[in-house]
Every structure is written in structure tokens, then in C-alpha cells.
Amino acid sequence: MVSSVGEQLLVGEAGHVQMAGLGLCMAMRVLPFSNMGSSPPQATLQDFLEIPTTTTVMLHELLLALLGYTGDLIIDQREEQESIGVFLSPNAPISEECTFKLAPDISFIQPSERDVIERLITLGFYYRELDRFATKSRNLSWIRTVNKSPLSRTSEVTTGKKENQSVYRRAIANGIVEVLSVYRSAVLQIEQKLLSDSVPILATVTQGLNKFFVLLPPLYELILEIERDSICGGRLLNLLHKRCHCGVPELQACIQRLLWHGHQVMYNQLASWMVYGILNDQYGEFFISRQANGDTEHDSSQPDMLEKFGRMATNDGALADWHLGFHISLDMLPEYIPMRVAESVLFAGKAVRVLRNPSPAFRYQDAEYHQHKPRGSQKLQGFVERFSFQKESALDKKIGEELLPQIEADKIEAMLQDLKESSEFHKRSFECAVDSIRATAASHLWQLVVVRADLNGHLKALKDYFLLAKGDFFQSFLEESRQLMRLPPRQSTAGADLMVPFQLAAIKTISDEDKYFPRVSLRMPSFGISVKSSQVDLPKAKAFSEGDSSVLSDASEMSLDGWDGIALEYSVDWPLQLFFTQDVLSKYRRIFQYLLRLKRTQMELEKSWASVMHQEHTDFAQHRNDRVSYSISHQRRQRFRPMWRVREHMAFLIRNLQFYIQVDVIESQWNVLQTHIQDSQDFTELVGFHQEYLSALISQSFLDIGSVSRILDGIMKLCLQFCWNIENRESSANTVELEHITEEFNKKSNSLYTILRSSRLAGSQRAPFLRRFLLRLNYNSFFEATARGVLNVVRPRPTLPILN
């Protein structure tokens, strides 16, 4: 229970204002005034009471001063200094000190009474300043400037005539008006007591107004701080919330009432944002705001919401709004609202915008979704052609209501209405309501992205093509393009040259039922040439000969490593763009390039062995009857036998690394992701799970460790160089080159093993599968022994048993 003053503040009856006005008119009729605009009829106090005239005039002028009107006995020093008349302009700045004083030439008042009166008239000064602040803040003349031309508004800004408007200040001013109405009613009651008493005394005034000495001075300091620091919006709510923590019940109830008025504005903005997806913030006071380059929604207050939705951008604009359009304004975020809750508000509003404004392309794609339903499947068949704006708006409304049913929107609005009707702000209730609204929006957004947009199918497609799950396709592609990639890429036709093997591999391995393959395109980032999987001229493709290297004889050739820049692109439609951001797709591209280099290296090691063995068998068949030639061939094979041992070491390392990434990393993490997708129905949780999935792929593949990734790149380059050199065995220079490659490979492989078994990686999330990888590599302690030898650690190398 609050005090009587607090109860009156919560009631705020209009009758008090009218009664105070009547009492003021009575006093003006009784007393002579020198500074009023029109002189009221003169009368003497003896007409009402038989009391001394001087005392009665003093008391009534005191009552007028308590309502902000000074006269001959109680003067306003500011008015006398500035000579601006009785009424100050509302736009005049608030005085920083009390300017109400007793006239210096008054001699009939005792010093003790003078002290009491000077203390009382400070209430009149506070009342006048509070009333001026409320009048200024509640002035609605700025509404007329909405229909003005932009040129006139610009001139107002440049000349400084336009004041900074604030809907939060207006709400606080409404609360101050309630407080002042209670104060005026108290002054009226005092006047009635004075008129009814036979001998009016000053103690009656003091006794009736003592309770306002704990209210008006703090309120005056409040508005003084607001005006001095230009506080508005969330910063104003934060200031009021801090002032609520005091030990005076009456003042606490008063400040809480002001805070309640401010929260009404915030709840209205929350309802507009979280129910309709519209940011209703004309003056930048809400803690959710647009980016600096975004268009301010000045027309968000229009009643016709459907027309508003029809004008909003639904494709690229909606995507930009989701990722970059809105942010949390920390300057306007009250301190008692945690950042987590503010982020939930931001997400809920953005989700509602997406659900209420589906993309036109999705509107047609959604027809296929409805064809599988027994009802309503024929209603969308006639909307493939171009319709008028009214029909498009009606269809958008229909689909929007399906994505976010009206009953759900009503629940969200009801939760906010309950918070709005509460007399106090309860932090726990507010956070619970926001979390519930966020969960509702996230659930419907999950339904849109996962169910209607077939998220899992696209994830499977990304796994097939970016993570090389379709190994037969990429095996065929690398075989078709093997001779092409043995030479440096040409800058002018590198992308076109890749088009032929890419499409030939698709014809051999990709079925026509794969609806995701047309979304995949191959490109060379270094040259900026993109190759669509569905755009290829097959007759021309057949004209390309696998062994024809004349197509790459351009003078502006790149290095052989230029083929490592091959990348995939994946076309994503709305609303999957909310899930597959450019950052996500760039991570997929990074993993794809790494896996493709690894698979290319593994294939070259196998092809080189098969090619050389085929040549050896051919030579043996041709020269088996010629002992001289056979002897020379046998000596050459013996000389290159150590090279085959090195090739086997290379293949062993690459095969184990490839198996580790494809099975231990990709497949295991894919199963974890599928479990999360089945168990979760929250879009934000799903985004987090997918980010964890990509992070695990990158970290467990060692792409986030610069030293390891550089060593692996170097090993793969050495393997390719080894394969290309070993097939040209006639040159003596190749022998020296092969020995150098062998030495470098041994160093890098030993360094790789040393880093992977270090204590820094032993405790990370890579540890479980990393131990399996190391066990496969070092099953016979060969890597450990050679690594210790490189580190100059004396340890006998294990010897193989001699079989008799």
C-alpha cells in the first residue's frame, strides 16, 4: 500500500483540476492584482470575513504564488530581470535556481513568517517549472510539420526553429500533469479551509503542503537533468528506473508512475515491432534501430498495415534487413534490460518481418508445397501469371497468415498487453514474455526454413558436393580433367576449359532426379569466371580431346597451383538465405578446396603407380627376349625402387588423412547435426548447431591451425610434383629433383606428426578422432621413430625381422 499521495497520483481525477481552477478564479476575484492582463472586479476581504485585510491579501497571494502566479508581494526575479511579463514562454529554459522571492519592501511580516513563506513559495516555483516542462513536452504543434515539404523541414532544421521531439518526454509529461493535478487540488482545499476559518493562519497552508516537499523538488531536479542533458528514449527510462530506488514511499510511487507512462511508449513500440515487424520509432528513441544507411519508416504509424506490408521490399531488401538492416542501439538500451533480452527482441521482430513478408519467388514455390495437401491445392494454381498490386497483396497476406497465424500474433499482443497493464515493471515477467515471444517466432521461422524450404535436402546437397560425399562424381571429374590440370591454366579460358570435364562427369554420375545439382556451379576465383552446371554445349564438349594440350598454349599462363583455386558456388533461394549466409557458404568453399586438393593428390599417386607399372609391363613384354635391354630395364627398376617406397609413404599418409576427414570428421559431425535437426524446432538453435558443425569440420580438419595447414599444403604439392616427375624418368635431372622431393617430404611428414601429437592439441575438441588418426599413422611406431630422429633424439630405429 502506498500513501494517500501515491494513491492520488495513481487516480489522477480530472475533477481536481476543475476544482482548482474554480478556486483560483475565486481568489482572483477577491484580490487586486497589478500585473495581470485584465483587472478583476475590486472587492475587499471584509465582504467574506471580518479579518485584517493585510493578512488575508498576503495569504491569497501566497496561494496564487503556489500555483505559479506572482504579484506585488511575491515576485519572480527572473521576470523582473528579463522584463518578459507574467507568463514565461514554454520554450524558455528552465531556471536552475528558485527565482520566487518576497518583495524586499515588505515590512509587516515577521522574520519567522518570512522564512516559512519563502520556503513555501519554492513549491510554487517548482510547480511552474514542472508545468512549463509538461506544456512544452505535450505540445502537438509539430504534428502539422509532417505534411510539410522536405524543403521547408530542411529550412527549419538549418535555422534551429525545430525542437527535438520525444514521445517518451511526452509520456513523462503526462505523468507530471497527474502529479500537478494532485498538487492543485491540495491548494484548493487549503483555500477552502482559509475561507471557512474565522481566523486564517499560515500554519494551515504549511500543514496542507508539507507532503509535497518530498515530491516537487526531486521532480524539478529530474526535469532539470532531462533538459540539461537532452535525455530521451531509453536513457530517460534508465534515469527514472534509477530514481525509483529511494527510501521515501510517496516519491517512489510518484517516480514509478512516471516510469509506467514511459513504459507505455516502449510497449507500444515493442508491439509494433514484435507483432507486425514494423519499427515505429520516428525520433530514434527505441533500443532497436535501423542502420545508418537504412530508410526510416516514417509511415509506420499508418493504420493500414496490409498496404504497408505490400510496399516493403520482400527479396533483396528483406535479406538485407535480416543481416544488416537493424541493430541494438546501446545508447538507448536501458540498463535493467539485459543484452540477451534485447537480442531476443531484435530477433523476434526480424523473424516477424520475414514471416509476414514472404518473397514473391517463394510464393510460387509454395504452390508446390500446397499440392501435397488435400485442401487448398487449387487455390494457388492461378497465381503464376502477373497480377495487380491488390491481388499480390492479398496473396502475400494469405501466405503471411499461414506462416504466422493470426492466433499466434494475438497471443504475442496479449502478452505485451499484460505487461503494459501492470502498474510496476517486473523484470522477470518481462524477460519471460520476451523469451516466449522469441520462441514462438523462432518456431514458425523453423517451420518455414526447415519444412517448407527443405533445409535438410539442401544440407545434404552441400554435403554431397562441397564435402565430396558424391565421390564418384568428383573421381570422374578429376579423371576427365587430369590432362587439363597437368598444364597451367590459361587466364582467358580456364573456366571454359573446366566446363567440359565437369559436365561430362555429371552426365556419367548425376541422375536427372537430382534437383539440387543445377544449383551447383564451378568457378575459378582467380579469373572471376563462373561455370554453371546446367549451361554447357555438349556437341562442343565432344570435340575436346583429352590429350589435346594446344588449348592451353596461351602466353599468359599461370602456375600449376592455379588449379587449386577451383571453387564451387551454390544458388540459394529465399528464405534459405537467412540460414546459408555468405559467411557460411565461404566456409563450405574453403573446406571444398581443401578436400578437392586432397582427393586430387590421392588420385595422382594412384594414377602414377598404375601408369608406370603399365609402362614396365609393356617394356618387359617387348624386351623379354633381349637380354641387354632386359638388363638395362631391370637396373633402372632397381634404381627407382626407393622412389616407389617414398610413393607408398606418400600414399599412406594421404589415404589416412582422407579417411580421417571423410569418415571420422565429416560423417560423425553430420550425424550429430542430423540429431540436432530432429530434436530442435527453434531456428536460432538450428543456426547455432550448424555453426558448430562447420566449426568442428574446420577445426578437426586442421584448417584453423596455420602451421598444420601449411605443412599439409606443402605435402600435397610435393606429392603432385613427385608424380609428375616420376613419370618422366629418362632425365637425370629428374633423379636429383626426386631426391630433393623425398627429403622435403620426410621433413614435412615428421613435422606434421610432431605437431599433431603435441600437448596443445591433445586437450582440444580434436582429441578423440585425432588419436585415431595418429594411431593409424603410427601403428608400427615408424613415424614416432623418424620424428625423434629428426629431433636428434637418440633412439634405435626399429628393425624388421629377417625371414629365412
mmCIF file of all heavy atoms in Angstrom, residues 17 170 230 311 338 340 408 423 434 550 704 709 749:
data_model
loop_
_atom_site.group_PDB
_atom_site.id
_atom_site.type_symbol
_atom_site.label_atom_id
_atom_site.label_comp_id
_atom_site.label_asym_id
_atom_site.label_seq_id
_atom_site.Cartn_x
_atom_site.Cartn_y
_atom_site.Cartn_z
ATOM 1 N N VAL A 17 -8.633 19.055 -11.137
ATOM 2 C CA VAL A 17 -8.145 20.163 -11.952
ATOM 3 C C VAL A 17 -9.212 21.242 -12.069
ATOM 4 O O VAL A 17 -8.940 22.438 -11.949
ATOM 5 C CB VAL A 17 -7.729 19.638 -13.347
ATOM 6 C CG1 VAL A 17 -7.200 20.774 -14.201
ATOM 7 C CG2 VAL A 17 -6.692 18.544 -13.200
ATOM 8 N N ARG A 170 6.981 13.197 -23.819
ATOM 9 C CA ARG A 170 5.545 13.497 -23.753
ATOM 10 C C ARG A 170 4.852 12.561 -22.773
ATOM 11 O O ARG A 170 3.983 12.989 -22.007
ATOM 12 C CB ARG A 170 4.938 13.364 -25.143
ATOM 13 C CG ARG A 170 3.427 13.511 -25.146
ATOM 14 C CD ARG A 170 2.853 13.578 -26.542
ATOM 15 N NE ARG A 170 1.412 13.469 -26.505
ATOM 16 C CZ ARG A 170 0.584 14.451 -26.165
ATOM 17 N NH1 ARG A 170 1.084 15.643 -25.848
ATOM 18 N NH2 ARG A 170 -0.713 14.280 -26.138
ATOM 19 N N SER A 230 19.583 16.704 -22.417
ATOM 20 C CA SER A 230 18.778 16.279 -23.578
ATOM 21 C C SER A 230 18.509 14.776 -23.533
ATOM 22 O O SER A 230 18.751 14.040 -24.489
ATOM 23 C CB SER A 230 19.476 16.658 -24.890
ATOM 24 O OG SER A 230 19.637 18.048 -24.994
ATOM 25 N N ARG A 311 4.173 -2.616 -49.603
ATOM 26 C CA ARG A 311 5.211 -1.717 -50.100
ATOM 27 C C ARG A 311 6.599 -2.135 -49.656
ATOM 28 O O ARG A 311 7.603 -1.681 -50.193
ATOM 29 C CB ARG A 311 4.946 -0.296 -49.599
ATOM 30 C CG ARG A 311 3.752 0.364 -50.242
ATOM 31 C CD ARG A 311 3.828 1.874 -50.018
ATOM 32 N NE ARG A 311 3.939 2.186 -48.622
ATOM 33 C CZ ARG A 311 2.908 2.366 -47.807
ATOM 34 N NH1 ARG A 311 1.685 2.230 -48.263
ATOM 35 N NH2 ARG A 311 3.081 2.649 -46.539
ATOM 36 N N PRO A 338 18.632 -6.755 -19.980
ATOM 37 C CA PRO A 338 19.903 -7.405 -20.355
ATOM 38 C C PRO A 338 20.074 -7.463 -21.866
ATOM 39 O O PRO A 338 19.104 -7.428 -22.633
ATOM 40 C CB PRO A 338 19.779 -8.809 -19.749
ATOM 41 C CG PRO A 338 18.697 -8.709 -18.726
ATOM 42 C CD PRO A 338 17.768 -7.650 -19.206
ATOM 43 N N ARG A 340 20.949 -9.984 -23.581
ATOM 44 C CA ARG A 340 20.338 -11.202 -24.112
ATOM 45 C C ARG A 340 18.870 -10.978 -24.456
ATOM 46 O O ARG A 340 18.379 -11.444 -25.494
ATOM 47 C CB ARG A 340 20.466 -12.322 -23.074
ATOM 48 C CG ARG A 340 19.820 -13.630 -23.482
ATOM 49 C CD ARG A 340 19.792 -14.605 -22.312
ATOM 50 N NE ARG A 340 19.029 -14.090 -21.206
ATOM 51 C CZ ARG A 340 17.700 -14.174 -21.122
ATOM 52 N NH1 ARG A 340 17.007 -14.742 -22.100
ATOM 53 N NH2 ARG A 340 17.071 -13.707 -20.058
ATOM 54 N N GLU A 408 -1.482 -16.695 -33.357
ATOM 55 C CA GLU A 408 -0.178 -16.539 -32.713
ATOM 56 C C GLU A 408 0.162 -15.073 -32.517
ATOM 57 O O GLU A 408 0.711 -14.674 -31.484
ATOM 58 C CB GLU A 408 0.903 -17.228 -33.554
ATOM 59 C CG GLU A 408 0.738 -18.725 -33.688
ATOM 60 C CD GLU A 408 0.972 -19.445 -32.371
ATOM 61 O OE1 GLU A 408 1.572 -18.836 -31.471
ATOM 62 O OE2 GLU A 408 0.548 -20.609 -32.251
ATOM 63 N N SER A 423 1.026 -2.208 -13.141
ATOM 64 C CA SER A 423 1.373 -0.902 -12.578
ATOM 65 C C SER A 423 2.861 -0.746 -12.336
ATOM 66 O O SER A 423 3.365 0.365 -12.256
ATOM 67 C CB SER A 423 0.617 -0.677 -11.266
ATOM 68 O OG SER A 423 0.962 -1.691 -10.322
ATOM 69 N N VAL A 434 9.327 -11.924 -23.252
ATOM 70 C CA VAL A 434 10.163 -11.766 -24.442
ATOM 71 C C VAL A 434 10.705 -13.121 -24.900
ATOM 72 O O VAL A 434 10.724 -13.417 -26.107
ATOM 73 C CB VAL A 434 11.317 -10.784 -24.150
ATOM 74 C CG1 VAL A 434 12.336 -10.796 -25.284
ATOM 75 C CG2 VAL A 434 10.774 -9.381 -23.962
ATOM 76 N N SER A 550 46.802 -28.223 -76.823
ATOM 77 C CA SER A 550 47.000 -26.958 -77.542
ATOM 78 C C SER A 550 46.086 -25.863 -77.030
ATOM 79 O O SER A 550 46.339 -24.687 -77.259
ATOM 80 C CB SER A 550 46.754 -27.170 -79.041
ATOM 81 O OG SER A 550 45.421 -27.600 -79.259
ATOM 82 N N ASP A 704 42.176 -24.458 -39.219
ATOM 83 C CA ASP A 704 42.314 -23.275 -38.378
ATOM 84 C C ASP A 704 43.686 -23.197 -37.709
ATOM 85 O O ASP A 704 43.933 -22.283 -36.921
ATOM 86 C CB ASP A 704 41.228 -23.264 -37.307
ATOM 87 C CG ASP A 704 41.272 -24.509 -36.421
ATOM 88 O OD1 ASP A 704 41.845 -25.514 -36.866
ATOM 89 O OD2 ASP A 704 40.723 -24.455 -35.306
ATOM 90 N N SER A 709 48.102 -26.503 -41.546
ATOM 91 C CA SER A 709 47.556 -26.358 -42.900
ATOM 92 C C SER A 709 48.657 -26.061 -43.913
ATOM 93 O O SER A 709 48.620 -26.562 -45.052
ATOM 94 C CB SER A 709 46.498 -25.248 -42.917
ATOM 95 O OG SER A 709 47.065 -24.005 -42.542
ATOM 96 N N SER A 749 56.518 -34.476 -43.270
ATOM 97 C CA SER A 749 55.702 -35.514 -42.630
ATOM 98 C C SER A 749 56.104 -35.699 -41.167
ATOM 99 O O SER A 749 55.233 -35.873 -40.298
ATOM 100 C CB SER A 749 55.834 -36.826 -43.393
ATOM 101 O OG SER A 749 57.191 -37.261 -43.421
#
